[in-house]
Amino acid sequence: MTRKVILDVDTGSDDACAILLAYLRPEIDLVAVCTVKGNQPIENTTENTLRVRDLLKADFPVYRGCSGSLVKTTVYPRIQRTQNADAIDANGEKVHIHTPLLPLPASTRKEEDIPAPIFYVNYLMNAKEPVTLVPVGPLTNLAVALTIEPEIVKNIEEIVIMGGGWNITNATIASEFNIYDDPEAAQKVLHCGAKITMVPLDATHTAYISQEDSDELKRINTPASLFAASQLDLRILVHDQAQPLEVPHTCALHDPLCIAYLIDPDVLQDVKFCNVEVSLGGVTEGQTVVDQRAIQENRNVYFAFRGDHEKFAKIFIDAFR
Ligand code: RIB
Ligand code: CA
């Protein structure tokens, strides 16, 4: 039984790997991919998504989404991002974990004419069966769609969000990037009423991918596996220098872990049904505040505190075989 999925991406190195994994795994029916600004401006995240579609010779539609956050960039200056995601490569060149344009040929086919939030409303209001949404960038598109038509929730099977952090942050002292980039959008989605599973940095950093995994992709030696390996090598370089994980020469591969969860839920561990709220200002702006008290009201999110790196690596690499 395949699972219908709509990916929402700010393509980036790990978003690209999530698109590859979702398309290549038979368990997933990739209905569409929506783009949003985040790692890069909307022009780049959209072009990068189109390039990955060409690499796969795939036909899923791409819908371009929001170029700015709901309110964050239009009100008084908010807390600035302080985590760097840069490294110095073997040639002494400075590299960033997300290259502005992916090292792939320019796209040959363009996105659809309808903006992503309108696509969400049209598709979900007419869906014949429930769909799983997998937003792995800022949640702006989905927040706009929910504002246009809250009823879309009736055809959402589950929302699997890459975002948030409890013991680990990466954008500011208290926040993870996707939530930090549009905290108001995240708060709106977390309270929309759909089943929500959150895959935070606590899970992605423990479900790490290693240099050996990247080398295995090189041995598989297909255009898709070699591209994925190039993105893993870039991420391992940056993690080693800027965001070291518990094991050296490994990287967090955040976005694909959400897809892996749809293939084998056991790839997420220590999942607790909690009340999660998003801080909207001050030094904690963008923080996912997770209530783990025994007696809780308003539980709204299945929050994964850990991931299984062996299970995840196998799911990811097997997709390319
Ligand atoms: O914090 C990690 C998230 O921010 C990932 O989705 C990555 O692609 C960036 O968007
Ligand atoms: Ca992303």
Side-chain angles (χ1 to χ4, degrees):
M1 175 71 174
T2 58
R3 186 142 178 188
K4 286 191 178 302
V5 168
I6 298 172
L7 256 174
D8 198 298
V9 292
D10 60 331
T11 308
S13 54
D14 56 331
D15 307 72
C17 291
I19 297 168
L20 294 175
L21 182 61
Y23 184 77
L24 293 171
R25 289 293 310 210
E27 302 91 338
I28 305 290
D29 174 6
L30 187 57
V31 169
V33 179
C34 297
T35 65
V36 68
K37 51 78 206 163
N39 287 321
Q40 293 290 327
I42 188 67
E43 296 75 15
N44 288 20
T45 61
T46 303
E47 169 62 15
N48 287 333
T49 300
L50 294 167
R51 291 187 179 191
V52 174
R53 181 175 67 171
D54 283 351
L55 172 67
L56 288 165
K57 298 185 175 55
D59 289 322
F60 54 78
V62 174
Y63 295 91
R64 178 186 177 128
C66 296
S67 58
S69 303
L70 292 189
V71 295
K72 185 168 178 102
T73 48
T74 56
V75 294
Y76 50 88
R78 309 275 284 264
I79 192 168
Q80 292 309 307
R81 188 177 181 182
T82 50
Q83 167 72 50
N84 94 346
D86 302 318
I88 305 300
D89 69 8
N91 304 321
E93 300 292 321
K94 185 173 177 181
V95 292
H96 184 68
I97 201 163
H98 302 295
T99 49
L101 288 173
L102 292 175
L104 291 168
S107 64
T108 60
R109 294 169 292 163
K110 291 304 166 207
E111 66 271 22
E112 306 299 310
D113 294 338
I114 304 170
I118 305 302
F119 160 72
Y120 275 128
V121 173
N122 291 345
Y123 184 89
L124 290 170
M125 290 308 287
N126 299 294
K128 299 291 180 281
E129 57 184 284
V131 183
T132 298
L133 307 186
V134 183
V136 294
L139 290 158
T140 317
N141 289 335
L142 199 41
V144 170
L146 286 163
T147 306
I148 294 169
E149 180 47 84
E151 282 299 300
I152 59 173
V153 170
K154 69 182 181 188
N155 277 324
I156 297 175
E157 180 169 11
E158 182 176 6
I159 305 176
V160 185
I161 299 171
M162 192 282 132
W166 180 240
N167 288 315
I168 303 175
T169 65
N170 68 359
T172 65
I173 186 172
S175 67
E176 174 279 327
F177 175 73
N178 289 339
I179 310 301
Y180 157 84
D181 192 70
D182 197 340
E184 287 78 9
Q187 181 69 350
K188 188 170 188 72
V189 172
L190 292 191
H191 292 279
C192 73
K195 178 186 177 185
I196 293 176
T197 296
M198 199 161 219
V199 183
L201 297 175
D202 308 79
T204 66
H205 280 220
T206 47
Y208 54 78
I209 296 288
S210 68
Q211 188 60 56
E212 291 71 27
D213 298 324
S214 177
D215 295 344
E216 177 61 18
L217 288 170
K218 295 180 183 102
R219 282 189 289 273
I220 292 173
N221 196 27
T222 63
S225 74
L226 292 172
F227 170 73
S230 75
Q231 300 307 293
L232 293 189
D233 291 346
L234 170 62
R235 297 185 61 83
I236 290 166
L237 184 74
V238 173
H239 270 285
D240 272 347
Q241 294 183 25
Q243 301 177 31
L245 302 186
E246 60 194 37
V247 176
H249 314 316
T250 64
C251 72
L253 198 59
H254 310 288
D255 301 342
L257 185 56
C258 297
I259 299 297
Y261 157 73
L262 298 179
I263 294 161
D264 177 3
D266 292 341
V267 79
L268 297 182
Q269 299 175 333
D270 195 8
V271 180
K272 292 181 183 147
F273 190 37
C274 303
N275 173 213
V276 178
E277 304 292 338
V278 178
S279 168
L280 300 179
V283 71
T284 58
E285 178 189 323
Q287 181 177 28
T288 44
V289 183
V290 184
D291 184 351
Q292 300 179 67
R293 290 172 297 170
I295 302 169
Q296 299 172 19
E297 281 81 40
N298 312 320
R299 296 183 189 193
N300 58 334
V301 173
Y302 292 87
F303 195 89
F305 287 90
R306 208 170 58 253
D308 183 314
H309 73 93
E310 285 181 7
K311 283 186 168 52
F312 177 38
K314 184 174 186 331
I315 290 169
F316 187 71
I317 293 170
D318 282 354
F320 295 88
R321 293 192 197 288

